[in-house]
Amino acid sequence: MSNNTTCPYCGVGCGVSAEIRDEQIIAVSGDETHPANQGRLCVKGSALHETTGEHDRLIQPRVDGVETGWNQALDSVAARLSSVIEQHGPESVAMYLSGQLLTEDYYVANKLMKGFIGSSHVDTNSRLCMSSTVAGYKRAFGGDLMPCSYEDIDHADLMVLVGSNAAWNHPILFQRMAATKQANPALRVVVIDPRRTATSELADLQLSLKPGSDAVIFNAILVQLEKRGKVDQVYVDKHTEGLDAALAAARHSAPDLATAARLTDIPEGDLETLVEWFCNTEKVLTFFSQGINQSSSGTDKVNSIINCHLASGRIGKPGMGPFSLTGQPNAMGGREVGGLANQLAAHMDFSNDENIDRVQRFWQAPTIARQEGLKAVDLFSAIERGEIKAVWIMATNPVVSLPQASRVRKALEQCELVIVSECMAQTDTVELAHIALPATTWGEKDGTVTNSERRISRQRGLISAPGEAKNDWWIICEVAKRLGFTEPFSYSGPAAIFREHAALSGFENDGKRGFDISGLSQISNTEYDELTPIQWPVNACAPKGTTRLFANGQFFTPNGKARLLPIEPRLPEQQPSETCPLVVNTGRLRDQWHTMTRTGRAARLLQHRSEPFIELHPSDAKRFKIASGDIAVLESKQGSYVARAQLSESQRPGELFIPMHWNEQFSGNAISGNLIDAVVDPVSGQPESKQGVASIHRLETRWQARLLSRAASAPRAQYWSRAPLQYCTSFRLADTDAVTDWAAWCDEQLGSTPDLLLEDKAEGRFRACGFAGDRLDWVLLVERDNNLPDLDWLDTQFALGSLNQDTRRQLLAARAPGAQPCGAVICSCFQVREPAILEAINAGSDSAEKLSEQLKCGTNCGSCLPELKSLIANSVKEAEHVSE
């Protein structure tokens, strides 16, 4: 069997080659044969082998907190679900799924609930990232149909990235963009984002717009296309409808560029530049992601972008089109099988009885659901109200990721039955499970995923699962059998499920539905095992797949024409006020993924950003009397968020950025969802996660400390964050209560008094270490400043069986003898820190290429290249300032 598989992180869908020894994945590299990444991997993908293994895994079923065998656990799931359904009806049970599931897992989960239990309450965390794009594509094209391909990047002459920090969130695609720009200097790149991000380093033009005003920009482009004679009238007349109404709405919000500039807070000259480039460039790619989707008007924003491409005829041809960058590895696969509550299966929905009857006949389903179910936010509200009595959550962490996160936690705490299928032993959600089912994860699971360009790839089971962990499809099918549905769920393996899924996509299709992989419905088990990446549709007309859609100008609406929609831009629902004067933007970091259940296991992925933070503009820091490194508190009517302040002129004044990843396993109070209201797009149901509001104040800490310990649990402190190292765990601590006796504190909190200590009360400094026998047990560094100790050296001391006296004394210096102060890790791949980079820059390495040649930074995944360029630019500015 091939050792090639697919990365489980973002929607780029990179191919991965694994090196296996003794049933362990010991190394990974990019699969050079995979068209998505052509051999490259980002830092997260490069560290995949560091996140495998039995450590911290859920390896045994648990029922009511007691470990048990699979038969008892499955019997309990089936019996309790049956009891709820018997008492309250099928609509009282729900599933909440994940873009981390494989297509085969998704398919049987959706089939069981919608086709056989008869509940349509099946939704997924893809609701939180992609559902506005789904709705926008369906309104315009007649189906959830992403028209473009990655190879379009190689042909584009203008790339517009809106609401997308691709450098951090889709780094392999970003590197392809950068390579294309280097090969084609005439290529222009525009970044539309309230923040200056790492992606901005590639931009010829940055538009730092007022948050939420994106649709005004694209309405302005649409108006100017018409004014300047750039509408492709032949294409519009033949292949679209709705231009007049779309133009009328666009003229209302953006009659001229001066009005649009005022509404978006963008200089009119910059807006004119964008309009000129868009109007006069044939090959335009518009990339969009969460900055567009996670909005109370996300669907309208998506359609405002599509309107411009349809009006100019820039779709269905190389180098052009509206390109949604998918957030998760299988968000698209989940949509294919019907994993959203408003979908049924195979891109059919509940909009007409014909779809429902067709799926019912194909499945031979006895009690098929006949109406849309509850979308994610409404689903958990129904749990809170007691209308949903049982919920089965798979491969996701809604207690962290949903808006009003603390309310979601309370809803699950009072739910009659919470079933969680999970690979990790401790997550914020699995702690609330009545029944916890150990699931396989990447490297163990076997099935398919679909990436952002509609490319189906194999994710292969390369090693055995630890303990009693089982594949999700198997767990679901075993429950289905116990519910009385044995024959429809007696699959021999994932290949059989895939064949049925493919057959359903072509069942009575006759070209009416864009999703069609019926050409794969007869593949053998061997052909499935050896399946190479392929883009759908895959059918009799396109047996080798389809690079891009709509090349013939035919769409999947009833009349075959694409629709332009009238768009009236709306501001975000969550607006600043006197009590909450700051806008809060949430998002991803370069080296982390979702709620860190996987990436949080790899020490090097927490080196770049090791703790939660609040990024704010220096003017806001001055306004609220906050210094860099202070612990600050954000508060809204939903809750609070506590993290370390970072100052950045990349932020617009009055706006903040916080990462979405941290949770109660890694920090005390840094769940971004606690600040976000449950406001959703009325069409897609997607939450407005990119804009919350809050107040801010400094936490008046009396001390701050860093603790390295063999123990994985944090001591009590008002602020704490945790980051695993190779041999110990690193904690950051802070509190508002003074400590008068640190030795006694160590005894109480760490379990032993110091064996060595150094204290300077006047400077507020205390350093101490404790031993368990001859082995180092903990090191505590209490400081007023935030100087970074040599964590690598300290960490290695925990691996040693004993330390000599000189080394023990050196522990209090927190670095190896003669070592210089450490700095932040910039290049995680090669462990290159900021001081080494600055030293090289000062010695004459004044380009990213020279730094890469000298230090290797930026030569693997390339994710750090924007930061290298930023350090170079800042050094040049400092040198010019000194010379003045």
Side-chain angles (χ1 to χ4, degrees), residues 724-757:
L725 302 181
Q726 195 72 25
Y727 304 105
C728 69
T729 301
S730 172
F731 297 94
R732 301 297 296 270
L733 309 170
D735 210 300
T736 56
D737 292 333
V739 175
T740 57
D741 186 341
W742 276 106
W745 186 93
C746 293
D747 189 28
E748 178 186 350
Q749 298 289 329
L750 307 179
S752 65
T753 55
D755 291 292
L756 290 172
L757 64 83

Side-chain angles (χ1 to χ4, degrees), residues 5 16 77 125 184 204 272 328 337 375 465 597 625 638 686 719 731 767 850:
T5 185
V16 178
V77 171
N125 63 5
N184 177 19
D204 299 288
E272 167 61 36
Q328 295 193 78
V337 305
K375 298 168 185 173
T597 48
K625 298 180 174 58
Q638 280 73 238
Q686 181 157 356
Y719 168 80
F731 297 94
R767 294 187 171 193
K850 290 180 180 178

Side-chain angles (χ1 to χ4, degrees), residues 151-158 282-285 317-321 548:
E151 71 177 48
D152 288 320
I153 294 171
D154 307 332
H155 302 288
D157 291 319
L158 173 63
E282 178 69 11
K283 294 181 178 180
V284 181
L285 270 177
K317 291 174 279 187
M320 61 184 75
R548 62 185 58 82

Side-chain angles (χ1 to χ4, degrees), residues 339-641:
L340 293 167
N342 51 305
Q343 297 176 331
L344 181 53
H347 279 205
M348 290 175 278
D349 56 28
F350 295 94
S351 60
N352 61 66
D353 289 338
E354 184 181 353
N355 284 340
I356 300 169
D357 293 341
R358 180 184 298 116
V359 175
Q360 184 171 25
R361 281 185 284 109
F362 182 88
W363 280 344
Q364 298 182 35
T367 53
I368 196 165
R370 306 197 71 85
Q371 60 185 13
E372 291 186 6
L374 295 172
K375 298 168 185 173
V377 171
D378 291 338
L379 175 64
F380 282 87
S381 294
I383 295 173
E384 181 184 39
R385 294 192 302 270
E387 296 168 9
I388 300 291
K389 306 290 185 181
V391 60
W392 190 347
I393 299 167
M394 298 183 195
T396 187
N397 202 4
V399 172
V400 179
S401 57
L402 278 166
Q404 294 187 344
S406 59
R407 190 173 172 184
V408 172
R409 171 179 285 276
K410 291 177 183 176
L412 291 178
E413 286 174 342
Q414 67 189 36
C415 185
E416 183 176 322
L417 176 60
V418 177
I419 306 163
V420 178
S421 296
E422 175 59 58
C423 60
M424 302 306 297
Q426 286 186 304
T427 73
D428 291 30
T429 300
V430 82
E431 290 175 353
L432 304 177
H434 299 103
I435 301 175
L437 304 174
T440 52
T441 185
W442 180 87
E444 304 152 10
K445 296 173 74 71
D446 195 43
T448 58
V449 293
T450 308
N451 74 356
S452 289
E453 60 169 351
R454 294 170 285 103
R455 189 178 298 277
I456 300 169
S457 297
R458 287 282 278 113
Q459 202 178 101
R460 292 183 170 89
L462 305 176
I463 58 176
S464 300
E468 292 296 315
K470 301 290 186 183
N471 292 320
D472 287 291
W473 70 263
W474 180 89
I475 300 171
I476 297 160
C477 289
E478 288 300 308
V479 170
K481 293 172 186 176
R482 284 164 170 80
L483 291 172
F485 311 122
T486 299
E487 185 177 347
F489 291 89
S490 292
Y491 298 103
S492 59
I497 300 171
F498 182 84
R499 285 191 289 268
E500 182 176 305
H501 163 54
L504 177 55
S505 74
F507 183 60
E508 297 179 0
N509 191 330
D510 56 28
K512 294 179 181 179
R513 305 190 302 274
F515 173 66
D516 183 355
I517 58 170
S518 56
L520 299 173
S521 64
Q522 300 298 318
I523 62 173
S524 67
N525 288 358
T526 300
E527 290 169 329
Y528 176 81
D529 288 340
E530 297 173 353
L531 183 67
T532 56
I534 189 168
Q535 288 174 280
W536 61 258
V538 186
N539 51 27
C541 297
K544 295 185 179 180
T546 308
T547 301
R548 62 185 58 82
L549 301 182
F550 314 133
N552 60 359
Q554 292 300 300
F555 297 85
F556 292 88
T557 56
N559 63 4
K561 291 188 174 186
R563 305 184 190 104
L564 288 88
L565 278 294
I567 302 302
E568 295 286 351
R570 292 183 286 113
L571 289 174
E573 293 288 331
Q574 300 170 81
Q575 287 294 315
S577 63
E578 185 175 342
T579 55
C580 292
L582 298 169
V583 171
V584 179
N585 179 8
T586 71
R588 293 177 179 170
L589 300 185
R590 189 189 78 185
D591 293 2
Q592 291 305 320
W593 175 252
H594 280 200
T595 62
M596 300 169 64
T597 48
R598 175 180 289 278
T599 50
R601 305 177 78 201
R604 67 167 155 143
L605 296 183
L606 278 154
Q607 291 176 322
H608 184 242
R609 296 287 189 273
S610 64
E611 62 179 332
F613 61 86
I614 301 165
E615 190 176 271
L616 69 163
H617 192 274
S619 64
D620 290 320
K622 183 178 180 181
R623 174 185 172 193
F624 294 102
K625 298 180 174 58
I626 294 171
S628 181
D630 283 347
I631 305 299
V633 181
L634 299 178
E635 292 182 320
S636 72
K637 68 177 183 178
Q638 280 73 238
S640 60
Y641 179 98

Side-chain angles (χ1 to χ4, degrees), residues 72-118:
Q72 183 179 342
L74 294 168
D75 288 346
S76 295
V77 171
R80 294 192 191 186
L81 284 176
S82 295
S83 176
V84 170
I85 293 167
E86 184 178 343
Q87 292 181 59
H88 307 285
E91 291 299 311
S92 64
V93 298
M95 279 184 175
Y96 188 63
L97 308 178
S98 165
Q100 304 294 293
L101 292 172
L102 304 187
T103 299
E104 293 76 5
D105 304 325
Y106 250 129
Y107 180 85
V108 293
N110 188 64
K111 177 181 175 180
L112 173 60
M113 284 295 285
K114 290 177 181 169
F116 289 79
I117 291 176

